[in-house]
Amino acid sequence: MLRRIAMLSAHTSPLDQPGNGDAGGMNVYVLELSRQLAARGIEVEIFTRATSRHQPDVVDPEPGIRVHHVAAGPFEGLVKNDLPSQLCSFVRDVLRAEVEREPGHFDLVHSHYWLSGQVGTVARERWNVPLVHTMHTMAKVKNAMLAEGDAAEPMGRVYGEEEIVRLADRLIANTEEERRELIELYGADPERVAVVHPGVDIEVFRAGRQREARRLLGIPEDAALVLFAGRIQPLKAPDVVIRAAAIMLERDPSLRDRLMVAVVGGASGSGLERPSALAELSAELGVQDVVRFVPTVGQRELADWYAAASVACVPSHNESFGLVAIEAQACGTPVVAARVGGLTTAVSDGVSGILIDGHDPADYASALHPLLTDPGLREAMSHKAVRHAEGFGWDVTADRTLAVYDQAITTHREFHA
């Protein structure tokens, strides 16, 4: 019987606000999955790196969930690429958590992202338990689809991911596309790679409330609102949305009185080097009057933005899944997105949204404009978006993840019998 899981999220805490720094869809994934497991009577202990001396060593945010803030390197000033050098300290404290308990305290380790996977391979051997790993993003995929101004992932990460693929008992891919990449690019054993889609909280992200959401946010009822939500960095391509807005206004000047582009989120990654770049671009293109920058918001206010929007735009250069797209659709908002990675699963092309090949702003302008100006088209796509999103509940994600855990435990026991 599965009693207790060690969940590893080394570089970012599931308690952090998504949209700031390195916090994003993975934070939501780890927390929501943990909630579902805890609701099923499974204790989840999450290990993440402490980023402030004021954080308690241990916090219990919800029944059945315990978060350990592990001191590994300086509390502040480290970026993600600095963290590999701090993994020894992180591993030491993770292993100590087992030493201080009765043998067999954890039944399984589930690691997220390659940094946690490196820790997980050590815990797997020391604790003699199976390791399940979720990549979330992969260096080889990212390097093949780099955005202009983005830095390539280092070879150390590539080697680390290859080691995880070799040692993990099971790998969880967000989509069939990610499964194929794991097999073809990393040589993963097909029998050890399972596909489990992330989910969406359909109680928080609800449709049929555009008027209410616009009133709460102070947005005019007749606004043609394009929403970009997420971390502000080249990988996510928010500049494409702003450039597309400029093209729409050039093609249809009458839209100017109603058009609004909301960019919700904070700078991250290489975007930290030029935090004012998008504002400068807006001024350069003469669209600063229609662009509104909104700092990162909590999940419920983010749901208001999704509900208020006429259309959400996700022009990322790569996405392992694209949680923003699913959340927007759950709120009844059609999505225009890049035809990359998990977005081809998250968006039903021509049904719940429109997928675009490449990142030419003119193509995005052509896709966005009808959804902003044709109420009938938007309404039809909105209804289909809700139905599409309903197939991605977190309860389904948890059930399928538990099936993967069971397979990993069974195989591990047979191997070590």
Side-chain angles (χ1 to χ4, degrees):
M1 178 181 174
L2 187 59
R3 304 162 301 148
R4 192 175 294 107
I5 292 170
M7 196 82 74
L8 306 182
S9 182
H11 82 286
T12 179
S13 170
L15 303 183
D16 289 347
Q17 177 62 57
N20 271 339
D22 291 320
M26 193 185 95
N27 297 64
V28 176
Y29 184 110
V30 173
L31 183 58
E32 292 295 341
L33 175 60
S34 298
R35 283 171 170 161
Q36 290 288 334
L37 296 175
R40 289 161 170 78
I42 300 168
E43 294 180 33
V44 181
E45 297 197 28
I46 303 170
F47 295 84
T48 189
R49 194 181 77 85
T51 55
S52 168
R53 67 181 69 255
H54 302 296
Q55 288 174 311
D57 293 340
V58 176
V59 60
D60 298 324
E62 298 180 22
I65 302 175
R66 171 160 289 186
V67 177
H68 298 262
H69 293 118
V70 178
F75 290 114
E76 299 172 355
L78 291 183
V79 296
K80 191 159 54 177
N81 287 342
D82 295 328
L83 296 182
S85 64
Q86 308 300 327
L87 287 184
C88 286
S89 299
F90 193 88
V91 168
R92 179 194 63 216
D93 275 23
V94 169
L95 295 182
R96 183 180 295 155
E98 170 84 357
V99 170
E100 294 173 349
R101 273 77 168 260
E102 292 295 320
H105 182 73
F106 294 111
D107 300 306
L108 178 140
V109 178
H110 188 171
S111 55
H112 299 266
Y113 192 67
W114 79 278
L115 292 169
S116 300
Q118 292 283 283
V119 180
T121 59
V122 178
R124 172 186 183 270
E125 295 302 315
R126 185 64 64 89
W127 297 343
N128 190 29
V129 296
L131 170 65
V132 174
H133 181 74
T134 305
M135 285 288 192
H136 293 281
T137 63
M138 293 178 281
K140 291 183 181 180
V141 175
K142 183 176 178 181
N143 287 347
M145 308 179 75
L146 276 181
E148 184 178 349
D150 228 350
E153 293 297 311
M155 287 306 299
R157 175 178 175 180
V158 174
Y159 299 146
E161 289 176 342
E162 290 175 340
E163 181 181 43
I164 295 163
V165 168
R166 179 170 56 85
L167 295 176
D169 295 88
R170 286 292 187 278
L171 297 165
I172 291 180
N174 287 335
T175 63
E176 287 290 348
E177 174 71 7
E178 186 179 346
R179 181 178 187 273
R180 181 189 63 77
E181 291 164 345
L182 280 164
I183 295 168
E184 294 182 0
L185 299 179
Y186 288 87
D189 178 354
E191 294 186 1
R192 292 193 293 117
V193 186
V195 175
V196 179
H197 299 317
V200 61
D201 187 337
I202 55 178
E203 293 183 5
V204 173
F205 300 99
R206 297 179 289 112
R209 44 189 296 272
Q210 186 182 81
R211 181 173 295 180
E212 172 195 352
R214 290 190 172 191
R215 179 179 55 79
L216 289 170
L217 297 171
I219 296 168
E221 281 193 21
D222 67 341
L225 175 58
V226 179
L227 175 68
F228 171 92
R231 288 172 287 159
I232 310 301
Q233 61 182 122
L235 174 69
K236 303 294 185 179
D239 63 294
V240 170
V241 186
I242 293 173
R243 294 181 191 277
I247 292 171
M248 283 193 288
L249 292 178
E250 183 180 355
R251 293 175 178 173
D252 181 5
S254 68
L255 189 61
R256 190 166 210 114
D257 290 340
R258 296 194 303 117
L259 182 63
M260 176 185 292
V261 177
V263 178
V264 181
S268 174
S270 53
L272 291 167
E273 297 172 9
R274 288 190 61 201
S276 62
L278 288 183
E280 293 169 3
L281 177 64
S282 300
E284 177 187 328
L285 297 175
V287 294
Q288 66 269 38
D289 57 317
V290 303
V291 179
R292 178 174 171 182
F293 294 100
V294 181
T296 304
V297 297
Q299 290 285 284
R300 294 191 180 277
E301 187 173 344
L302 179 60
D304 289 338
W305 278 103
Y306 286 135
S310 307
V311 58
C313 192
V314 189
S316 306
H317 288 268
N318 185 50
E319 289 284 353
S320 60
F321 182 63
L323 202 54
V324 164
I326 285 292
E327 290 172 345
Q329 290 168 97
C331 292
T333 302
V335 176
V336 172
R339 194 189 302 275
V340 297
L343 288 170
T344 59
T345 299
V347 179
S348 180
D349 189 22
V351 178
S352 65
I354 300 169
L355 295 176
I356 306 294
D357 293 311
H359 297 83
D360 186 339
D363 293 335
Y364 286 82
S366 296
L368 290 166
H369 189 267
L371 287 167
L372 296 174
T373 57
D374 184 341
L377 173 64
R378 186 199 175 281
E379 184 176 357
M381 198 164 274
S382 172
H383 291 307
K384 295 171 184 176
V386 174
R387 288 199 295 272
H388 178 66
E390 286 173 347
F392 294 89
W394 280 114
D395 56 338
V396 177
T397 301
D399 288 341
R400 292 177 178 172
T401 300
L402 281 170
V404 176
Y405 290 169
D406 288 340
Q407 293 165 5
I409 290 171
T410 299
T411 303
H412 187 82
R413 286 175 179 168
E414 290 174 350
F415 183 79
H416 292 276

